Structures are given as C-alpha cells and as structure tokens.
Amino acid sequence: MLKKLRITLAVIFSLLITLLFLDFTGTLHAWFGWMAKLQFLPALLASNFIVVAAIVVITLIFGRIYCSVICPLGVYQDGTSWIGEKIRKNHFRYRKNRKWLRYSIAIVFAVLLFLGLNWIAILIAPYSIYGRIASNIFAPVYQSINNIFAYFAERWSSYAFYHVDVYIKSLPIFIISLVYFIGITLSGMFFGRGYCNNVCPVGTVLGIFAKYSLLKPHIDAEKCKSCGLCEKNCRCSAIDSESKTIDYSKCVTCFNCIGKCNRGAISYRLVKSEKLKVKREDGGEIKDEGSTSRKMFLATIAGLATVSAVKAQEKIVDGGLAIIEDKKAPKRNTPLKPAGSQSLKNFTSSCTGCQLCVQSCENHVLRPSTKLENLMQPEMSYERGYCRPECTACSEVCPAGAIRKVSREEKSSIQIGHAVFIAKNCVSFNGEAECGNCARRCPSGAITMMHSDSDDESSPMVPIVNQERCIGCGACEHVCPARPFSAIYVEGNEVHRTI
C-alpha cells in the first residue's frame, strides 16, 4: 500500500510538472505553477524559507521522500530503472557511499551559488537538468504531435487544436540537453539512481537529514536470511544484505525493498537513530562515521544557508521592402532580461536555468543563452517576435524569484533597455524606400520619424528615439525590414527602471 501510494503521488507530481514545460497555452500554470515552487533549489534561490523548511521537516520525519515523489528527475530515474528491471531482473547491488565525492560536489555547488556562478552550478542541479530535458527534448515532440492533431482538426472544421511553431531555440543547448537525456536514461536503466547517489547536491543535503529521520525502512536481522533479494532490487544501491544494513543517506524511501522481501524482514517504522556497529559474516565491523558525517553536515548546511541569506517559425516582416532572409541577432553589450528581473545581477544570481519561462514565452522572445558567462540561462532577442507589454507569462511561472511577478500595468512602465538607431542599416536613410515601421509599431510612442537633415525637407525620414519613453520591448527591432541586421535594435539595461 505504501509503495502504491508513493508511486501514485510521484506520477501525479512528475506528470503535472512536465506538462508545465510542455504547455504552450499558458493555462496550466494558473493551476499547477505552485508545483515548480516546491522544488528545493528554486525555493532556496527565491528565499522561500517556508518551502525549504517544509522539505527538511518532511525529510526528518519520512526520509528522502522528496527525492522519490516531488523531484521530477528522481521520478524519471525511477521510470528508467523500472525499464531496466524489465530487461534484466535483480541486477542492482550495494555500492559503498562515496562520501568524499558527494560532499565535495555539494560544497562546491554551494560555493558557486554564493559567488553568483549559477551557470556552472545549474549544470548539476536536478530540477534544472529536468527542465532543460523537458524544454528541449520533450516539448518539440509534444508540439509536433499537437500539430498532427491540428492538421486533421482543421479539415474537420474543429478548433480543438491549433498549429504552433516547432523549432530548436538553441542548437548547442539542445545538444547538451540530449547528452543529459541519454546519459541519465542509460544510467537509470543499468545503475538505478546513480546520479542521485553520486552527483546530486540536493540529494546529498537531504541525505544528511534522512540519516536522522524518525521513520525508516528497517531490516529485522532475525527474520532476514541474507538472500540478497532486497539488495538486488534497491535502485539506490543502499542495502547491504550481507551486513543487513541500509544506508539511509542514499535511501529515497521508495518501498521497493518491502515489497520484494518474502520473509517480512523489512518494515517501515519508527527507528531510533543510533551508532551502528554490526558484525559482518567475515568478522569485519561496520564502523560508525557519525563524527565525519556531522562535520560535513555542518559545512554543507552552512554553505547553503549563506547562499540563501545573500540572496523560437521565423515571423519575418519585410513590408515588401527587402529581400526575405533570416534576421540575425545584434551584438548587445548588455543582455536583455525580462521585466520583473530587476537587474542583470539579480537575474543571473537567482536563475536556475530550468527554462520554464522560455517555454511559457508565446512571443518567442526568450531562448537559452549559449554564452559562457550565463550558459543555459534565458536571454531575450527579437528575431521571432517582440516582448508585448501586455504579456507577463514569464514572471508568473518563475519559481526561483529570478523574474518577480509583475502586473500588466507595471510591465508597461518598466524599462528593460532602450532602442539604438543604426543609420547605415536603415532602408529609409539609404534611399531604398520610405519606411517608418518602427515608429508605427512602437507601443510607447518613443519613436518619431524626422528628416535626417532638419534643414532639407527632401531628405529621407529616419527614426528618432526618445530613450526616456522607450521600454525596450523590441517591437521596432522585430518589424524593421532591414536584413540581416535591423536598423534599430535594443540595448539592455543592467538595472531596470520605472519610467
């Protein structure tokens, strides 16, 4: 019963969190967006201490149930392990806890977050990894299936489905996500929760608390005959059937072992934490390493506490004025970040790189960065669309506080950047044709068309930007017919301001 309940909750959580990344309508976030905020790292970066404390308390009572129910990457590994068990039964085995590796990674992870080097830290963060896999691997497949239904629905005069653009937002990030997907899938099939046991910093931290949890799976040494069935089916490699012990820092309380034991030797019950010194059959002794664990516990928790305290199909508009060709992104000295991120520093230090905001952006403005200094974190560009003042989707879905929630009224007055005019690219200035697209489409009225020579009324009309009114939405850059580079582009502000 416990196992069935755990699996049911895990499937529900995993499915709904995955759908948050797949949903291109934006409707699911209103109902289930809170699930993303329950993830450990986003809650930590958002200084959501209630969620962090709740996860710790749950772990102290039930063990690492978070890893087997709430964490989508953990549940995904369970799924791949289940497939592996169908291919080869009873193939898991006990592996010693590599404490030096796990604690070293966790401490380095905390230091990276403290130094603001999130783009490195998120390479191993579980929620971030799963978000990138869902956004870059699962989403295109989901959208393609939707388009197939839309194709037939259109011919049956139905509006139940509609066509959406399917494209790779960033080829390097897609390749990185594909490598993660293949690696974790194969690792899960053949080694169970190898990532959880050796790499995951969240699992390491919660594993420290789990050692002192009230409820644990417990092996009755008198009933156990050391048949090894529980060990061979433990996806965490946490059970040593020879010594009849369980490594609770690795155990995720999945209850698989209880169901596999045909002697009723394993039960989930109240277990008093005590120093274990169990004699193995070969006469060796399992020594208590509580002192070392407590030191690593204090070091890791101190690091995380310090961190929390310190804290898209191309829509080409050519207007009939230019040869249609791909528009290229301009080189911006300061990258553009969405309204609500407040500043470049705040965004880069809080973003987990899960790309939930990228998936929610209906205007195809957000895409994962390929730059080393903010690798896989979202950045804005206006080749496929512009940031409509009335759209606040990204601020509504961010679970980590990198993009604070803003209203439509607030967004229309937040300046994330300012437009810059490049005369040599302008079709009007070069005498190719009369234009004025940028001025007509500017929602804030920040662009005015004036004669390039104020003393000559026959001189070509060019845009003049009022930078005090410009909010940096990118409408001008998007609709500019100049190719491959727009004659007007948006330069980001390091610190956003209200105008």
Side-chain angles (χ1 to χ4, degrees), residues 351-474:
C351 177
T352 65
C354 71
Q355 299 176 22
L356 188 56
C357 58
V358 176
Q359 286 303 111
S360 69
C361 183
E362 298 178 4
N363 302 312
H364 308 294
V365 169
L366 287 170
R367 74 277 316 267
S369 172
T370 57
K371 300 172 185 174
L372 190 60
E373 63 268 20
N374 59 340
L375 186 66
M376 291 185 285
Q377 291 186 339
E379 64 180 6
M380 303 174 71
S381 200
Y382 301 128
E383 292 78 62
R384 293 180 176 271
Y386 69 96
C387 191
R388 298 180 181 274
E390 70 275 11
C391 177
T392 59
C394 59
S395 74
E396 295 171 357
V397 303
C398 180
I403 309 175
R404 307 286 179 178
K405 189 173 182 179
V406 296
S407 66
R408 294 183 178 182
E409 293 78 10
E410 290 173 325
K411 183 181 177 182
S412 63
S413 62
I414 296 176
Q415 186 186 72
I416 64 173
H418 56 275
V420 178
F421 176 56
I422 308 296
K424 65 179 182 180
N425 294 342
C426 181
V427 296
S428 234
F429 182 79
N430 294 327
E432 298 175 24
E434 292 184 3
C435 184
N437 276 1
C438 53
R440 286 192 294 270
R441 293 295 296 274
C442 179
S444 60
I447 302 177
T448 304
M449 298 300 293
M450 299 182 66
H451 291 285
S452 56
D453 185 347
S454 58
D455 297 327
D456 184 5
E457 293 186 359
S458 63
S459 62
M461 303 287 284
V462 294
I464 303 298
V465 180
N466 183 345
Q467 294 189 358
E468 293 301 315
R469 298 188 63 177
C470 177
I471 60 175
C473 68

Side-chain angles (χ1 to χ4, degrees), residues 64 102 105-106 124-126 194-205:
R64 282 177 58 185
R102 298 178 69 191
I105 291 176
I124 58 173
Y195 163 81
C196 292
N197 293 338
N198 300 293
V199 180
C200 180
V202 176
T204 299
V205 173

Side-chain angles (χ1 to χ4, degrees), residues 124-145:
I124 58 173
Y127 171 71
S128 302
I129 291 174
Y130 188 80
R132 292 190 290 270
I133 292 175
S135 299
N136 294 281
I137 308 298
F138 299 161
V141 175
Y142 177 82
Q143 293 166 354
S144 298
I145 295 174

